[in-house]
Amino acid sequence: MNAAPTNNAVATGDAPRTLAEKVWNAHLVKQGEDGTPDLIYIDLHLVHEVTSPQAFDGLRMAGRPVRRPDLTIATEDHNTPTLDIDKPIADLTSRTQIETLRRNAAEFGIRLHSLGDKEQGIVHVVGPQLGLTQPGITVVCGDSHTSTHGAFGAMAFGIGTSEVEHVLATQTLPLKPFKTMAINVEGTLRPGVTAKDIILAVIAKIGTGGGQGYVLEYRGSAIRALSMDGRMTICNMSIEAGARAGMVAPDATTYAYLEGRDHAPSGADWDDAVAYWETLATDEGAQFDAEVSIDADTLEPFVTWGTNPGQGVSLSETVPDPASIDDQHERAAAERALEYMALEPGTPLKEIAVDAVFMGSCTNSRIEDLRAFASIIKGKQKAEGVRVMVVPGSARVRLEAEAEGLDKVFTDFGAEWRFAGCSMCLGMNPDQLAPGERCASTSNRNFEGRQGKGGRTHLVSPLVAAATAIRGTLSSPWDLQTEGEGN
Amino acid sequence: MEKVTTVTGTAAPLRRSNVDTDQIIPAVFLKRVTKTGFDDALFYAWRQDPDFVLNRPEHQGVKVLIAGPDFGTGSSREHAVWALRDFGFDVVISSRFGDIFRGNSGKQGLLAAQVAYEDVERLWEVVEADPGIEVTVDLVERTVTVGSLKVPFEIDDYTRWRLLEGLDDIGLTLRDEAAIAEFESHRESWRPKTLPIREPAESGSL
Ligand code: SF4
């Protein structure tokens, strides 16, 4: 097959286009007219137990089949326990959702990776690790963090249950084009500063609504220097800025990650695929609807102090004083947040003691995240009284980590080493904070009650989580070095 | 979705305004895994009162709900429409609807007929005076007729067309089936597929 077949004809002589526009145009089944939406083809549909039951029920009621089971894959993640996974799930609602997914997958012929299967895991970790998430494709899932897959240069976004049914039945979605925003991150990150700090800084800068209606394209030397795992962390949290999706143009790093994975193209197909992927990058001179810049050189480890992901500052700073915030809505939100978080303005963030550290979630549970965490804690002991949970994003990540001996590093440190799932990212399974408990978490949402009723969440990178687990107060690897030098 | 041209049946007057989707179906029922079986959840709190309009013997088997202004506001939950459909309603009449609710209704074949508030009051009076009276909602003419009273209703052209044709969103997209198949025929061989399952060379165990 030719490298530039019909669907992806690269317009020559046309106006320069962005990555997002190219992927969109390559998936137009039908162009909308007079305000009607475009009909967009979906290459990959990821399914999990929480948002799919009514969609399958709708198909059943209408007597419709799944159009493309071969473009659909399901896994169990949100409700699954991370201990005793061979026992029946205790919570009845959770068990019903899981059993319903199993029945639906069997009835409609959908590939399912169940608890205990080596490909089971968080849906956004499973797609990339199987090589299913590829540049230039469209990916949807009934889950807002579908934006993760944009790290490969895919157009990936979360959808509602009606849309899940729509994609199951038609493999398409009626959609209006998104606007585009360039996020330029130039410079070099200092050691100890990571992808998570970049995205937390981006959200703090543009706000939790700043990306609404946009696809964010992350660009610049600092992004190019990131691994795929780092790019996934960034794209994952695009939704926390309100964006529909986040993307990074594919490059040699992307191809190196994909090559040899189970479902990546091989042989001549690989060459054709790469030739096409090479055409996807935003053209010189293409116009974005908005642009934002972040200086990577000056970035520090970042942490949230409030109850939305935009309420974050550098870890070296203090808890902000709401009185200094001009916007009255933001000021009121900050006041409420500090009350919920039980924090006093002016407190140095590094003096805040935590009860728990959660290392996991679709933001930071891939092998590199676990390696980063392990590199800091290796040979050390966790702070007394702090509960530390390490939860791999997928069963395969768990196996990989164990093959490298990371599990031993974690358990020697005093951490709990668990089975794959969403775990303490959201209070839907047994892993939850108790009311009033404070947690440094590598997840993506610090909403009130997200990790358990009354729980208090500080979003951090794996490196900050590790340093915090050692010192018992919010800390970065920089603080450990200082100690090591005898200060 | 079934085609809707006219609906004829008895009606229940719901003399309340601002009926938000939390009243239509409380959040606790959202844990269910089906799209059906929500009839018991409809107006759950209100139905604890034996005197609530839907509990009264004369209003069993109703197809039309006549509600006050701002029906279906609040949370976007699609369950609100599922519950109304499950209970047996084909039509909801109000002088104003929540936007998302109205959109969701169209998708599930529930006719949301917007009637001027004075006319809603007249409809209430007629139905309350004679609960067994049949109401006819004519989507072609956009009218509600009960006894000698005939009032117009509004519905946007697109939703009306879809209801008349019996097309839900999916049905509508499937009209473009040929275009979808044509698109698929060009899909490159290297694009990812989830099936058949490809196994890695070596595999571990948990
Ligand atoms: S890990 Fe958290 S954010 Fe990610 S899919 Fe699971 S619940 Fe959602």
Side-chain angles (χ1 to χ4, degrees):
Chain A
M1 183 169 279
N2 196 299
T6 332
N7 291 340
N8 328 305
V10 180
T12 41
D14 282 0
R17 290 181 304 163
T18 62
L19 164 64
E21 287 161 346
K22 290 183 189 183
V23 179
W24 186 277
N25 291 346
H27 290 84
L28 273 176
V29 171
K30 197 179 153 192
Q31 186 124 32
E33 294 159 1
D34 306 330
T36 61
D38 293 342
L39 192 62
I40 294 294
Y41 197 78
I42 304 302
D43 286 314
L44 179 62
H45 187 188
L46 308 165
V47 173
H48 64 86
E49 76 275 13
V50 179
T51 49
S52 65
Q54 275 95 5
F56 284 111
D57 208 38
L59 289 185
R60 204 174 286 120
M61 281 157 59
R64 290 178 174 133
V66 172
R67 182 179 179 89
R68 296 295 300 263
D70 62 334
L71 304 183
T72 312
I73 186 169
T75 179
E76 302 166 358
D77 53 9
H78 285 67
N79 281 290
T80 51
T82 54
L83 287 178
D84 300 329
I85 61 168
D86 48 345
K87 307 220 171 74
I89 299 173
D91 180 83
L92 195 62
T93 312
S94 296
R95 200 194 318 159
T96 307
Q97 286 196 338
I98 297 278
E99 282 169 359
T100 305
L101 178 63
R102 290 178 187 174
R103 260 201 318 280
N104 286 330
E107 179 180 339
F108 289 92
I110 288 170
R111 172 177 178 180
L112 168 67
H113 293 294
S114 283
L115 202 55
D117 176 316
K118 74 177 184 309
E119 300 300 346
Q120 177 268 339
I122 307 173
V123 67
H124 310 308
V125 178
V126 169
Q129 80 183 8
L130 284 171
L132 286 167
T133 303
Q134 295 176 13
I137 68 169
T138 47
V139 185
V140 297
C141 174
D143 188 279
S144 57
H145 293 97
T146 309
S147 57
T148 311
H149 307 264
F152 291 79
M155 172 78 74
F157 48 92
I159 55 177
T161 296
S162 284
E163 291 170 304
V164 171
E165 183 179 338
H166 198 111
V167 176
L168 288 171
T170 70
Q171 205 58 35
T172 64
L173 273 180
L175 289 168
K176 300 229 168 120
F178 309 141
K179 291 180 288 181
T180 57
M181 185 188 294
I183 309 274
N184 304 307
V185 192
E186 295 289 351
T188 310
L189 293 176
R190 286 178 278 180
V193 186
T194 63
K196 184 69 165 276
D197 304 304
I198 294 179
I199 188 62
L200 286 173
V202 168
I203 300 165
K205 179 157 182 165
I206 70 175
T208 50
Q212 236 156 43
Y214 289 96
V215 177
L216 313 183
E217 184 185 332
Y218 302 96
R219 302 155 59 81
S221 53
I223 301 296
R224 299 261 73 90
L226 290 174
S227 66
M228 287 317 295
D229 286 2
R231 294 176 190 183
M232 282 190 256
T233 299
I234 292 195
C235 288
N236 171 276
M237 290 191 72
S238 305
I239 182 72
E240 308 310 333
R244 280 308 302 261
M247 299 176 94
V248 175
D251 59 12
T253 304
T254 320
Y255 313 147
Y257 177 98
L258 274 170
E259 195 166 12
R261 292 195 181 256
D262 298 1
H263 289 271
S266 57
D269 276 351
W270 173 259
D271 298 334
D272 285 348
V274 172
Y276 171 56
W277 297 343
E278 291 284 355
T279 68
L280 290 171
T282 293
D283 296 327
E284 193 84 32
Q287 290 294 312
F288 289 91
D289 297 309
E291 296 215 28
V292 169
S293 290
I294 297 274
D295 180 6
D297 291 327
T298 57
L299 263 190
E300 294 183 22
F302 224 78
V303 60
T304 62
W305 48 266
T307 51
N308 74 53
Q311 292 174 322
V313 291
S314 294
L315 186 49
S316 58
E317 295 184 28
T318 57
V319 175
D321 187 350
S324 68
I325 299 174
D326 291 335
D327 182 275
Q328 58 159 347
H329 298 291
E330 274 182 40
R331 191 185 327 131
E335 281 166 2
R336 263 201 322 275
L338 290 188
E339 193 185 325
Y340 181 84
M341 295 295 288
L343 293 175
E344 286 298 322
T347 311
L349 285 155
K350 284 185 189 162
E351 286 177 12
I352 298 172
V354 302
D355 305 295
V357 171
F358 171 59
M359 173 65 215
S361 90
C362 59
T363 314
N364 285 120
S365 63
R366 287 166 286 267
I367 190 68
E368 266 185 28
D369 300 310
L370 299 189
R371 284 182 195 142
F373 188 83
S375 73
I376 304 291
I377 63 162
K378 190 164 188 178
K380 299 201 168 68
Q381 279 299 308
K382 72 176 176 75
E384 229 182 273
V386 175
R387 174 181 180 204
V388 184
M389 280 173 63
V390 183
V391 186
S394 69
R396 201 195 274 211
V397 169
R398 186 180 151 97
L399 291 173
E400 256 180 282
E402 291 184 348
E404 296 176 18
L406 298 184
D407 55 325
K408 186 91 172 43
V409 176
F410 301 140
T411 48
D412 285 353
F413 177 67
E416 298 167 35
W417 172 237
R418 293 185 166 232
F419 287 88
C422 293
S423 185
M424 208 196 260
C425 177
L426 90 170
M428 203 162 187
N429 55 68
D431 305 345
Q432 301 195 15
L433 292 178
E437 272 190 329
R438 187 181 299 282
C439 180
S441 175
T442 63
S443 57
N444 45 43
R445 282 186 175 153
N446 50 347
F447 300 157
E448 289 186 18
R450 168 87 177 176
Q451 292 192 287
K453 200 161 178 274
R456 298 175 178 136
T457 304
H458 295 273
L459 299 178
V460 297
S461 73
L463 295 181
V464 170
T468 302
I470 294 169
R471 301 184 79 222
T473 54
L474 292 174
S475 309
S476 84
W478 295 357
D479 305 308
L480 300 173
Q481 278 162 17
T482 323
E483 278 172 6
E485 284 155 13
N487 275 348
Chain B
M1 215 163 82
E2 287 187 25
K3 293 185 183 185
V4 184
T5 45
T6 58
V7 174
T8 302
T10 54
L14 182 68
R15 279 194 181 261
R16 297 184 195 235
S17 60
N18 285 299
V19 176
D20 61 51
T21 51
D22 257 285
Q23 305 303 324
I24 300 174
I25 181 166
V28 44
F29 293 103
L30 309 190
K31 286 187 174 178
R32 294 191 179 166
V33 293
T34 56
K35 234 171 153 166
T36 53
F38 285 98
D39 48 340
D40 59 327
L42 182 71
F43 299 125
Y44 185 79
W46 295 340
R47 271 164 73 198
Q48 305 313 305
D49 171 7
D51 238 17
F52 179 62
V53 60
L54 294 184
N55 288 337
R56 284 190 233 134
E58 66 269 29
H59 289 302
Q60 297 313 299
V62 286
K63 285 189 181 171
V64 180
L65 184 69
I66 309 171
D70 294 314
F71 187 87
T73 53
S75 143
S76 65
R77 62 192 65 159
E78 297 174 35
H79 305 68
V81 177
W82 300 339
L84 286 161
R85 295 294 280 143
D86 258 0
F87 191 83
F89 285 113
D90 291 327
V91 181
V92 181
I93 294 172
S94 170
S95 57
R96 219 160 41 212
F97 291 98
D99 267 340
I100 299 175
F101 175 85
R102 189 187 7 232
N104 289 342
S105 296
K107 289 180 184 170
Q108 304 293 337
L110 178 69
L111 199 172
Q114 188 167 324
V115 169
Y117 184 68
E118 310 80 67
D119 289 337
V120 172
E121 293 228 319
R122 290 158 74 194
L123 290 170
W124 276 338
E125 281 161 21
V126 176
V127 170
E128 278 164 357
D130 179 5
I133 194 166
E134 291 222 316
V135 176
T136 298
V137 180
D138 185 332
L139 184 57
V140 181
E141 290 201 350
R142 305 190 208 213
T143 54
V144 181
T145 310
V146 51
S148 59
L149 176 66
K150 186 176 200 167
V151 302
F153 71 84
E154 282 178 38
I155 186 165
D156 70 274
D157 291 338
Y158 181 63
T159 306
R160 173 172 172 268
W161 171 74
R162 288 194 348 179
L163 288 167
L164 287 171
E165 296 285 324
L167 289 171
D168 54 14
D169 271 357
I170 295 175
L172 206 56
T173 296
L174 287 175
R175 289 196 152 190
D176 290 322
E177 212 276 329
I180 299 171
E182 153 74 11
F183 184 95
E184 285 174 331
S185 70
H186 298 297
R187 210 166 168 271
E188 300 83 346
S189 59
W190 45 260
R191 295 247 169 200
K193 283 203 179 123
T194 60
L195 294 172
I197 296 178
R198 293 194 209 156
E199 289 287 342
E202 66 201 60
S203 48
S205 65
L206 283 178

